[in-house]
CSV table of all heavy atoms in Angstrom, one decimal:
chain,number,residue,atom,x,y,z
A,126,PRO,N,-29.9,-45.6,218.2
A,126,PRO,CA,-28.9,-45.7,217.1
A,126,PRO,C,-29.1,-44.7,216.0
A,126,PRO,O,-28.2,-44.2,215.4
A,126,PRO,CB,-29.0,-47.1,216.6
A,126,PRO,CG,-29.5,-47.9,217.8
A,126,PRO,CD,-30.4,-47.0,218.5
A,127,LEU,N,-30.4,-44.4,215.7
A,127,LEU,CA,-30.7,-43.4,214.6
A,127,LEU,C,-30.1,-42.1,215.0
A,127,LEU,O,-29.6,-41.3,214.1
A,127,LEU,CB,-32.2,-43.3,214.4
A,127,LEU,CG,-32.9,-44.4,213.7
A,127,LEU,CD1,-34.4,-44.3,213.8
A,127,LEU,CD2,-32.5,-44.4,212.2
A,128,MET,N,-30.1,-41.7,216.2
A,128,MET,CA,-29.5,-40.5,216.7
A,128,MET,C,-28.1,-40.6,217.1
A,128,MET,O,-27.2,-39.9,216.6
A,128,MET,CB,-30.3,-39.9,217.9
A,128,MET,CG,-31.8,-39.7,217.6
A,128,MET,SD,-32.0,-38.0,216.9
A,128,MET,CE,-31.6,-37.0,218.3
A,129,ALA,N,-27.8,-41.6,217.9
A,129,ALA,CA,-26.4,-41.7,218.5
A,129,ALA,C,-25.4,-42.1,217.4
A,129,ALA,O,-24.2,-41.7,217.5
A,129,ALA,CB,-26.4,-42.7,219.6
A,130,ASP,N,-25.8,-42.8,216.4
A,130,ASP,CA,-24.8,-43.3,215.4
A,130,ASP,C,-24.9,-42.4,214.2
A,130,ASP,O,-24.2,-42.7,213.2
A,130,ASP,CB,-25.2,-44.7,215.0
A,130,ASP,CG,-25.0,-45.7,216.2
A,130,ASP,OD1,-24.4,-45.3,217.2
A,130,ASP,OD2,-25.4,-46.9,216.0
A,131,GLY,N,-25.6,-41.3,214.2
A,131,GLY,CA,-25.6,-40.4,213.1
A,131,GLY,C,-26.2,-41.0,211.8
A,131,GLY,O,-25.7,-40.7,210.7
A,132,LYS,N,-27.2,-41.8,212.0
A,132,LYS,CA,-27.8,-42.4,210.8
A,132,LYS,C,-28.5,-41.4,209.9
A,132,LYS,O,-29.1,-40.4,210.4
A,132,LYS,CB,-28.8,-43.5,211.2
A,132,LYS,CG,-28.3,-44.6,212.0
A,132,LYS,CD,-27.5,-45.6,211.1
A,132,LYS,CE,-27.1,-46.9,211.9
A,132,LYS,NZ,-26.4,-47.8,211.0
A,133,THR,N,-28.6,-41.6,208.6
A,133,THR,CA,-29.3,-40.8,207.7
A,133,THR,C,-30.6,-41.5,207.3
A,133,THR,O,-30.5,-42.6,206.7
A,133,THR,CB,-28.5,-40.4,206.4
A,133,THR,OG1,-27.3,-39.7,206.8
A,133,THR,CG2,-29.3,-39.6,205.5
A,134,VAL,N,-31.7,-41.0,207.6
A,134,VAL,CA,-33.0,-41.7,207.3
A,134,VAL,C,-33.4,-41.5,205.9
A,134,VAL,O,-33.5,-40.3,205.4
A,134,VAL,CB,-34.1,-41.1,208.3
A,134,VAL,CG1,-35.4,-41.8,208.0
A,134,VAL,CG2,-33.7,-41.3,209.7
A,135,ALA,N,-33.7,-42.6,205.2
A,135,ALA,CA,-34.1,-42.5,203.8
A,135,ALA,C,-35.6,-42.6,203.6
A,135,ALA,O,-36.2,-42.0,202.7
A,135,ALA,CB,-33.4,-43.6,203.0
A,136,ARG,N,-36.2,-43.3,204.6
A,136,ARG,CA,-37.7,-43.6,204.4
A,136,ARG,C,-38.3,-43.9,205.7
A,136,ARG,O,-37.8,-44.6,206.5
A,136,ARG,CB,-37.8,-44.7,203.4
A,136,ARG,CG,-39.3,-45.1,203.0
A,136,ARG,CD,-39.3,-46.0,201.8
A,136,ARG,NE,-40.6,-46.4,201.4
A,136,ARG,CZ,-41.2,-47.5,201.7
A,136,ARG,NH1,-40.6,-48.4,202.4
A,136,ARG,NH2,-42.5,-47.7,201.3
A,137,VAL,N,-39.5,-43.4,205.9
A,137,VAL,CA,-40.4,-43.7,207.0
A,137,VAL,C,-41.7,-44.3,206.5
A,137,VAL,O,-42.4,-43.6,205.7
A,137,VAL,CB,-40.7,-42.5,207.9
A,137,VAL,CG1,-41.6,-42.9,209.0
A,137,VAL,CG2,-39.4,-41.9,208.5
A,138,ASP,N,-42.0,-45.5,206.9
A,138,ASP,CA,-43.2,-46.2,206.3
A,138,ASP,C,-44.1,-46.5,207.4
A,138,ASP,O,-43.8,-47.2,208.4
A,138,ASP,CB,-42.7,-47.5,205.6
A,138,ASP,CG,-43.8,-48.2,204.9
A,138,ASP,OD1,-45.0,-47.7,204.9
A,138,ASP,OD2,-43.6,-49.3,204.3
A,139,PHE,N,-45.4,-46.1,207.3
A,139,PHE,CA,-46.4,-46.3,208.3
A,139,PHE,C,-47.2,-47.6,208.1
A,139,PHE,O,-48.2,-47.9,208.8
A,139,PHE,CB,-47.3,-45.1,208.5
A,139,PHE,CG,-46.6,-43.9,209.1
A,139,PHE,CD1,-46.2,-42.9,208.2
A,139,PHE,CD2,-46.4,-43.8,210.4
A,139,PHE,CE1,-45.5,-41.8,208.8
A,139,PHE,CE2,-45.7,-42.8,211.0
A,139,PHE,CZ,-45.3,-41.7,210.2
A,140,GLN,N,-46.9,-48.3,207.0
A,140,GLN,CA,-47.5,-49.6,206.7
A,140,GLN,C,-46.7,-50.6,207.6
A,140,GLN,O,-45.7,-51.2,207.2
A,140,GLN,CB,-47.4,-50.0,205.3
A,140,GLN,CG,-48.0,-51.3,204.9
A,140,GLN,CD,-49.5,-51.1,204.7
A,140,GLN,OE1,-50.0,-50.2,204.1
A,140,GLN,NE2,-50.3,-52.1,205.2
A,141,VAL,N,-47.3,-50.9,208.8
A,141,VAL,CA,-46.5,-51.7,209.8
A,141,VAL,C,-46.7,-53.2,209.6
A,141,VAL,O,-45.9,-54.0,210.0
A,141,VAL,CB,-46.8,-51.2,211.2
A,141,VAL,CG1,-46.3,-49.8,211.4
A,141,VAL,CG2,-48.3,-51.3,211.5
A,142,THR,N,-47.9,-53.6,209.1
A,142,THR,CA,-48.1,-55.0,208.8
A,142,THR,C,-48.9,-55.0,207.4
A,142,THR,O,-49.2,-54.0,206.9
A,142,THR,CB,-49.0,-55.7,209.8
A,142,THR,OG1,-50.3,-55.1,209.8
A,142,THR,CG2,-48.4,-55.5,211.2
A,143,GLU,N,-49.1,-56.2,207.0
A,143,GLU,CA,-49.8,-56.4,205.7
A,143,GLU,C,-51.2,-55.7,205.7
A,143,GLU,O,-51.7,-55.2,204.7
A,143,GLU,CB,-49.9,-57.8,205.3
A,143,GLU,CG,-50.6,-58.1,204.0
A,143,GLU,CD,-50.6,-59.6,203.7
A,143,GLU,OE1,-50.0,-60.4,204.3
A,143,GLU,OE2,-51.4,-59.9,202.7
A,144,LYS,N,-51.8,-55.7,206.9
A,144,LYS,CA,-53.2,-55.2,207.0
A,144,LYS,C,-53.3,-53.9,207.8
A,144,LYS,O,-54.4,-53.3,207.7
A,144,LYS,CB,-54.1,-56.3,207.7
A,144,LYS,CG,-54.2,-57.6,206.9
A,144,LYS,CD,-55.1,-58.5,207.7
A,144,LYS,CE,-55.3,-59.8,206.9
A,144,LYS,NZ,-56.2,-60.8,207.6
A,145,VAL,N,-52.3,-53.5,208.4
A,145,VAL,CA,-52.3,-52.3,209.2
A,145,VAL,C,-51.4,-51.2,208.7
A,145,VAL,O,-50.2,-51.3,208.6
A,145,VAL,CB,-51.9,-52.6,210.7
A,145,VAL,CG1,-52.0,-51.3,211.5
A,145,VAL,CG2,-52.9,-53.6,211.3
A,146,ASN,N,-52.1,-50.0,208.4
A,146,ASN,CA,-51.4,-48.8,207.9
A,146,ASN,C,-51.8,-47.7,208.9
A,146,ASN,O,-53.0,-47.4,209.0
A,146,ASN,CB,-51.7,-48.5,206.5
A,146,ASN,CG,-50.8,-47.4,205.9
A,146,ASN,OD1,-50.4,-46.5,206.7
A,146,ASN,ND2,-50.5,-47.5,204.7
A,147,ARG,N,-50.8,-47.2,209.6
A,147,ARG,CA,-51.2,-46.1,210.5
A,147,ARG,C,-51.8,-44.9,209.9
A,147,ARG,O,-52.5,-44.1,210.5
A,147,ARG,CB,-50.0,-45.7,211.4
A,147,ARG,CG,-49.4,-46.9,212.2
A,147,ARG,CD,-50.4,-47.5,213.1
A,147,ARG,NE,-49.8,-48.6,213.9
A,147,ARG,CZ,-50.6,-49.4,214.6
A,147,ARG,NH1,-51.9,-49.3,214.6
A,147,ARG,NH2,-50.0,-50.4,215.3
A,148,LEU,N,-51.5,-44.7,208.6
A,148,LEU,CA,-52.1,-43.6,207.9
A,148,LEU,C,-53.6,-43.7,207.7
A,148,LEU,O,-54.3,-42.7,207.4
A,148,LEU,CB,-51.4,-43.4,206.5
A,148,LEU,CG,-49.9,-43.0,206.5
A,148,LEU,CD1,-49.4,-43.0,205.1
A,148,LEU,CD2,-49.7,-41.7,207.2
A,149,ASP,N,-54.1,-44.9,207.9
A,149,ASP,CA,-55.6,-45.1,207.7
A,149,ASP,C,-56.3,-44.7,209.0
A,149,ASP,O,-57.5,-44.7,209.0
A,149,ASP,CB,-55.9,-46.6,207.5
A,149,ASP,CG,-55.3,-47.0,206.1
A,149,ASP,OD1,-55.2,-46.2,205.2
A,149,ASP,OD2,-55.1,-48.2,205.9
A,150,ASN,N,-55.6,-44.3,210.0
A,150,ASN,CA,-56.2,-43.9,211.3
A,150,ASN,C,-57.0,-42.7,211.1
A,150,ASN,O,-56.5,-41.6,210.7
A,150,ASN,CB,-55.1,-43.7,212.3
A,150,ASN,CG,-55.6,-43.4,213.7
A,150,ASN,OD1,-56.2,-44.3,214.4
A,150,ASN,ND2,-55.4,-42.2,214.2
A,151,LYS,N,-58.3,-42.7,211.5
A,151,LYS,CA,-59.2,-41.6,211.4
A,151,LYS,C,-59.9,-41.4,212.7
A,151,LYS,O,-60.5,-42.4,213.2
A,151,LYS,CB,-60.2,-41.8,210.2
A,151,LYS,CG,-59.6,-42.0,208.9
A,151,LYS,CD,-58.7,-40.9,208.4
A,151,LYS,CE,-58.1,-41.2,207.0
A,151,LYS,NZ,-57.2,-40.1,206.6
A,152,VAL,N,-59.8,-40.2,213.3
A,152,VAL,CA,-60.5,-40.0,214.6
A,152,VAL,C,-61.6,-38.9,214.4
A,152,VAL,O,-61.5,-38.0,213.6
A,152,VAL,CB,-59.5,-39.5,215.6
A,152,VAL,CG1,-58.5,-40.6,215.9
A,152,VAL,CG2,-58.8,-38.3,215.2
A,153,ILE,N,-62.6,-39.1,215.2
A,153,ILE,CA,-63.7,-38.2,215.2
A,153,ILE,C,-64.1,-37.6,216.6
A,153,ILE,O,-64.2,-38.4,217.5
A,153,ILE,CB,-65.0,-38.9,214.6
A,153,ILE,CG1,-64.7,-39.4,213.2
A,153,ILE,CG2,-66.2,-37.9,214.6
A,153,ILE,CD1,-65.9,-40.3,212.7
A,154,GLY,N,-64.2,-36.3,216.7
A,154,GLY,CA,-64.6,-35.7,217.9
A,154,GLY,C,-63.6,-35.7,219.1
A,154,GLY,O,-62.5,-36.2,218.9
A,155,LYS,N,-64.0,-35.1,220.2
A,155,LYS,CA,-63.1,-35.1,221.4
A,155,LYS,C,-62.8,-36.4,221.9
A,155,LYS,O,-61.7,-36.6,222.5
A,155,LYS,CB,-63.8,-34.2,222.4
A,155,LYS,CG,-63.9,-32.7,222.0
A,155,LYS,CD,-64.4,-31.9,223.2
A,155,LYS,CE,-64.5,-30.4,222.8
A,155,LYS,NZ,-65.1,-29.6,223.9
Side-chain angles (χ1 to χ4, degrees):
L127 284 166
M128 298 278 291
D130 296 348
K132 299 283 188 180
T133 300
V134 180
R136 184 167 180 259
V137 176
D138 189 2
F139 291 102
Q140 183 79 43
V141 292
T142 68
E143 184 178 346
K144 296 182 179 180
V145 178
N146 190 326
R147 298 304 181 194
L148 294 175
D149 294 335
N150 185 69
K151 306 296 180 184
V152 298
I153 302 174
K155 293 183 178 180

